[in-house]
Amino acid sequence: MEILAILIGGILVNNYIFSRFLGLCPFFGVSNKLETVYGMGAAVVFVMTLASAITWPLQHLLLEPLGLGYLQTVAFILVIAALVQTVEMVIQRVSPTLYAALGIFLPLLTTNCAVLGAALLNITQGYGFMTSVLNGFACGVGWTLATLLFAGVRERIEGAHIPPAMRGMPIAFVAAGLMALAFMGFQGLFRGILF
């Protein structure tokens, strides 16, 4: 039941985009087209999962025993930066067109607060190693799901008649706000399933 709670919580209830409002820069940046969301979503899932797997032992086996807990944020950012560099090199070799389409948003994963937030939340929630990895994966999938849904909405908005003052980012912010309200409904669903 705990695994189900973590999966549903990370993907729907505590969605990093619509509930925690983390990772919004790449969310708005790559959601113009569905093709770019697939690549960025895979990168986010990969980086969040691996960052969770690496930062948990780093915290519990190195930082805490040595009394270096105050270096947690710096150490986690270094781990995330190394992972993003690896992902960036792989995408550049495997799919140069996807690499060009993602542009600046792929290196911005290094400072994506959703990735760092997942790593820090795993520690503050007291999750074990496997639970941390599962939570990192679920949060990455939730980020990808939110971005995919939003990309579909943005593609539909492009064909709609929008007043000139609302075109572009203003209507994107309104649509994101409405989607966040819709995702709040999952909190009641989640309570009904588990309690």
Side-chain angles (χ1 to χ4, degrees):
M1 194 57 125
E2 183 184 8
I3 292 172
L4 180 65
I6 289 172
L7 286 173
I8 292 174
I11 296 171
L12 298 174
V13 178
N14 298 318
N15 187 284
Y16 271 52
I17 297 292
F18 296 130
S19 294
R20 298 186 188 272
F21 306 110
L22 295 173
L24 293 177
C25 179
F27 169 73
F28 282 108
V30 301
S31 61
N32 290 333
K33 301 212 179 302
L34 281 170
E35 299 86 40
T36 57
V37 174
Y38 292 123
M40 187 64 152
V44 167
V45 170
F46 179 76
V47 169
M48 268 194 189
T49 305
L50 273 181
S52 297
I54 294 170
T55 56
W56 190 92
L58 176 68
Q59 175 73 22
H60 292 285
L61 302 177
L62 186 66
L63 296 177
E64 284 179 3
L66 296 176
L68 300 173
Y70 59 90
L71 293 175
Q72 180 186 53
T73 304
V74 174
F76 287 10
I77 288 175
L78 288 174
V79 166
I80 293 166
L83 288 171
V84 170
Q85 282 300 112
T86 304
V87 168
E88 189 174 0
M89 289 187 301
V90 168
I91 290 177
Q92 189 174 15
R93 284 186 182 236
V94 172
S95 178
T97 54
L98 178 61
Y99 178 78
L102 292 175
I104 190 67
F105 296 104
L106 189 57
L108 281 177
L109 265 178
T110 302
T111 57
N112 186 344
C113 56
V115 178
L116 180 61
L120 291 172
L121 191 67
N122 290 333
I123 302 301
T124 59
Q125 293 291 328
Y127 291 153
F129 175 74
M130 289 307 295
T131 311
S132 293
V133 173
L134 184 63
N135 184 56
F137 174 77
C139 292
V141 170
W143 188 93
T144 304
L145 174 68
T147 309
L148 278 170
L149 292 172
F150 190 62
V153 169
R154 285 185 79 177
E155 284 188 358
R156 298 278 301 199
I157 287 174
E158 284 181 18
H161 177 69
I162 306 291
M166 291 297 290
R167 290 185 187 140
M169 287 311 285
I171 195 67
F173 281 120
V174 169
L178 292 172
M179 289 180 75
L181 287 172
F183 265 71
M184 286 177 63
F186 288 119
Q187 291 177 353
L189 172 71
F190 189 64
R191 285 189 196 105
I193 290 174
L194 293 180
F195 302 111

